[in-house]
DNA sequence: TTGAAAGCGATACCAA
DNA sequence: TTGGTATCGCTTTCAA
């Protein structure tokens, strides 16, 4: 069932049918109604390929998520998807995993699918290869990076100031009398780097003694974090507070503490990052740095939509994280 | 940059270029290499609309998720997306939310995007409206329902036997000496219905006394579950075990128990459903019915892929849930 | 208010 | 081994 079939049924030309489908003026009310009726009866909808080919727009955006397992990323993705559904777009979502070499490949896939715009979710996308790939495959399409930025005319970044978020927490802990603070970070992403810089800022600003051993890199995993935290606490018995770069790691820490007979927050303070449901599930609930998930989704959606409509946007939008005090700090 | 531009640059016809792009025989090695080189230099990729229009296939599948907040659904969705990426497909993912009236609308969107196949994730899709909509908009495309089934030639269902899963848990509890067992269910989806039937099966099979008050409907929410569980336990002080239809509700139960000074599992057993990370985060970890998330994703992917290739599949695939005993049961 | 015809960028058949 | 041409289903001018 195509536009010609409809035209035949209605006894008009396909041009007229096209006008009706696209709500364009220049059709007699009577004719319009007749065609609308047939359209409905036949459950007709236009072929999106023909449409895309003829009009060169297809109302599709791409969303690439770097890590499926990160509920925080997934939620941002779905938030954006929801917003764009409102705008009449559909979203092609792909998860490229942690393998760096796949980034270019996925960008190519998106480009070849003629997406009108793209959102990349995760700080890992902030790298030089990505810059090259965007230049090569998507130089004329708007791209928004959630939690990262690349200096290109068609790219806009929305970043959470994670560095400040962590350094503020160090301030908070110091104000509560903590002097020996640990930091457990996940492996090197741009985001992890920022968090660590924030930790060091806090140490310096508050004139705390810095000990290399107070920083430890671990995998972003519940079980692993439990094991590593136990080791860490045994090696550093004087530590009274630990900041984690992800909530799930902080949950592992709570488990380690329970196992070791340490009370949280009486014996040790635990701080997470993301203010996710994980931090609420934990007993005690975990004080956590809220990275403004919803605001991030909003900002990304709005930025991309503006760009799609040819409006100017900032090169970078900044969001300030908020420290949510719960039961794992005193 | 289109196929004609490439042809001009290579000094051949666009037909030859098309042959090279599609890896078809009948091109001299030398010519092929020359064209490949130009293709690469120009970072050319074919216009997907033109391709879709001409060949009538576009390697796009649709995935509709009913509830974004359910990590279990999201993971199944991403699992399928991953599998289909391997097959060279992209996935258009949409979350239609809990609003029933939107189901038809989303189906229409997918149809109008000419998806080659569709996966619906969630038992809520198993209803008559959906059946009508599929008939109307997607009668010729393969549809797979995760955790549901609709009797139509082009629809295949993959269901987890949740009923058996719950009734098995009742058996387990009875074998441990429990006689007064509660069941807290979320609101009426087909899935919730099945779980409840399973609970009743278990009660009957084990000749337990049935009391209407032992079943309670609550919202699938952490905080709400905590509140409702506390009420429930006060109203039914003789209960020694409660089964929840979702892990997150069971987590709320643990919180309620802690608050009330009840020890888990000494004073009361708590059982969740989904065997999600929530049940592992909790202290104690929650014994939970594993609904075979990964297997579900696999089965759905394979079923859809088979149907796309014109192969026959079962009308329904069954998966058996597995009870994972952890620390919240004795 | 309507319609004819060109064009979008591929694929695929048939001829050379 | 190549190329010409029709075709997919729509949008968009231009003319009537």
């Amino acid at each position: 069932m195509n536009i010609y079939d409809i035209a035949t049924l209605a006894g008009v030309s396909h041009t007229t049918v096209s006008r009706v489908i696209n709500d364009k003026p220049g059709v007699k009310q009577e004719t319009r109604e007749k065609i609308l009726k047939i359209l409905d009866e036949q459950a007709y909808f236009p072929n999106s390929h023909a449409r895309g080919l003829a009009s060169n727009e297809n109302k599709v955006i791409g969303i690439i998520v770097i890590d499926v397992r990160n509920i925080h990323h997934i939620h941002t993705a779905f938030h954006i998807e929801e917003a764009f559904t409102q705008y009449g777009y559909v979203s092609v979502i792909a998860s490229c995993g942690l393998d760096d070499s796949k980034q270019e490949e996925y960008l190519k896939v998106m480009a070849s699918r003629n997406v009108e715009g793209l959102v990349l979710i995760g700080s890992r996308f902030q790298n030089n290869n990505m810059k090259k790939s965007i230049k090569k495959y998507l130089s004329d399409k708007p791209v928004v990076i959630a939690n990262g930025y690349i200096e290109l005319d068609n790219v806009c970044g929305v970043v959470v100031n994670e560095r400040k978020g962590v350094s503020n927490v160090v301030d908070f802990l110091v104000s509560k009398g903590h002097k020996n603070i640990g930091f457990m970070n996940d492996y090197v992403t741009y985001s992890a780097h920022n968090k660590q810089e924030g930790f060091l800022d806090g140490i310096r600003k508050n004139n705390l003694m810095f000990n290399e051993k107070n920083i430890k890199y671990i995998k972003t995993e519940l079980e692993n974090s439990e094991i590593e935290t136990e080791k860490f606490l045994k090696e550093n018995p004087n530590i009274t507070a630990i900041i984690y770069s992800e909530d799930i790691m902080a949950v592992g820490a709570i488990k380690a503490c329970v196992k070791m007979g340490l009370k949280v927050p009486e014996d040790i303070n635990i701080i997470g990052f993301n203010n996710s449901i994980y931090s609420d599930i934990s007993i005690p609930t975990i004080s956590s740095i809220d990275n403004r998930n919803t605001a991030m989704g909003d900002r990304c959606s709005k930025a991309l939509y503006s760009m799609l409509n040819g409006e100017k946007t900032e090169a970078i939008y900044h969001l300030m994280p908020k420290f949510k005090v719960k039961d794992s700090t005193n």
Side-chain angles (χ1 to χ4, degrees), chain A:
Chain A
M1 185 61 52
N2 62 29
I3 202 170
Y4 293 96
D5 298 326
I6 300 290
T8 307
L9 283 172
V12 297
S13 83
H14 77 279
T15 312
T16 303
V17 176
S18 174
R19 287 197 185 93
V20 171
I21 290 170
N22 294 292
D23 252 330
K24 298 220 165 153
V27 182
K28 209 198 307 174
Q29 187 57 24
E30 196 189 319
T31 316
R32 188 182 294 274
E33 275 162 15
K34 184 166 74 182
I35 295 175
L36 279 174
K37 184 154 166 281
I38 295 173
L39 249 23
D40 184 55
E41 280 168 9
Q42 304 293 325
Y44 166 87
F45 42 81
N47 179 301
S48 64
H49 293 128
R51 215 172 202 179
L53 185 56
S55 68
N56 201 26
E57 60 168 32
N58 59 357
K59 303 284 181 191
V60 175
I61 62 159
I63 301 177
I64 302 182
V65 184
I66 200 107
D67 188 348
V68 180
R69 296 165 304 183
N70 188 327
I71 49 168
H72 159 57
H73 289 336
I74 293 185
H75 275 95
T76 303
F78 273 102
H79 197 83
I80 294 168
E81 184 266 326
E82 263 184 331
F84 270 86
T85 299
Q86 298 294 317
Y87 300 143
Y89 281 73
V90 301
S91 306
V92 172
I93 303 186
S95 48
C96 67
L98 288 167
D99 184 355
D100 276 19
S101 74
K102 287 210 169 171
Q103 298 187 350
E104 177 169 0
E105 197 183 311
Y106 276 80
L107 214 65
K108 224 156 132 181
V109 169
M110 289 298 177
S112 76
R113 295 301 177 150
N114 298 83
V115 297
E116 290 184 20
L118 184 66
V119 183
L120 305 172
I121 301 179
S123 70
R124 264 177 194 262
F125 288 111
Q126 175 167 336
N127 64 54
N128 251 316
N129 278 335
M130 207 58 197
K131 184 169 181 175
K132 270 188 219 153
S133 303
I134 292 177
K135 245 183 180 160
K136 189 164 176 189
Y137 299 111
L138 285 165
S139 61
D140 53 341
K141 312 267 177 162
V143 175
V144 172
I145 305 180
N147 216 18
Y149 175 65
I150 289 176
E151 206 177 334
L152 283 174
D153 279 348
N154 60 318
V155 176
C156 160
V158 181
V159 297
V160 176
N161 196 330
E162 297 168 320
R163 180 168 178 163
K164 197 86 171 53
V166 176
S167 95
N168 283 348
V169 166
V170 174
D171 292 349
F172 170 87
L173 290 171
V174 168
S175 80
K176 297 287 183 182
H178 294 270
K179 295 198 174 71
N180 202 344
I181 304 169
F183 181 59
M184 299 189 87
N185 203 357
D186 50 320
Y187 288 104
V188 277
T189 60
Y190 198 76
S191 182
H193 173 77
N194 281 337
K195 290 171 186 170
Q196 178 159 330
E197 286 300 315
F199 178 69
L200 295 173
D201 286 351
I203 296 292
R204 275 190 294 266
K205 204 170 27 164
N206 291 286
N207 294 313
L208 299 183
M209 253 225 323
F210 175 64
N211 187 335
E212 285 240 347
K213 280 176 62 189
N214 284 21
I215 297 184
K216 189 164 184 179
Y217 291 94
I218 63 173
K219 273 186 287 184
T220 315
E221 232 178 43
L222 181 60
E223 216 175 323
N224 184 257
S225 172
E226 180 177 347
I227 295 166
E228 292 296 337
T229 298
E230 188 175 351
K231 271 196 223 161
F232 185 70
L233 283 171
K234 282 185 177 151
E235 285 165 15
N236 303 278
N238 297 321
I239 280 196
T240 60
I242 310 179
I243 302 172
Y244 290 82
S245 64
E246 294 277 345
D247 275 344
I248 196 69
M249 291 154 69
V251 170
I254 298 282
K255 298 219 168 205
C257 291
V258 168
K259 191 175 164 200
M260 296 171 76
L262 293 171
K263 286 201 169 163
V264 179
E266 291 82 353
D267 300 329
I268 185 152
N269 281 203
I270 300 293
I271 291 98
F273 206 113
N274 279 359
N275 190 26
S276 65
I277 187 148
Y278 300 156
S279 66
D280 289 322
I281 286 178
S282 168
I283 304 177
T285 57
I286 298 171
S287 301
S288 182
I289 298 166
D290 188 320
N291 51 3
R292 314 287 307 286
N293 215 343
T294 308
M296 172 64 82
D298 269 1
R299 197 60 267 177
C300 288
S301 307
K302 281 184 187 144
L304 185 60
Y305 194 60
S306 298
M307 290 165 95
L308 284 170
N309 291 312
E311 295 162 22
K312 271 240 159 185
T313 61
E314 310 280 328
I316 309 186
Y317 290 95
H318 293 276
L319 294 174
M320 274 306 287
K322 280 184 187 149
F323 184 46
K324 187 83 185 290
V325 178
K326 286 184 256 183
D327 299 339
S328 66
T329 48
N330 51 19

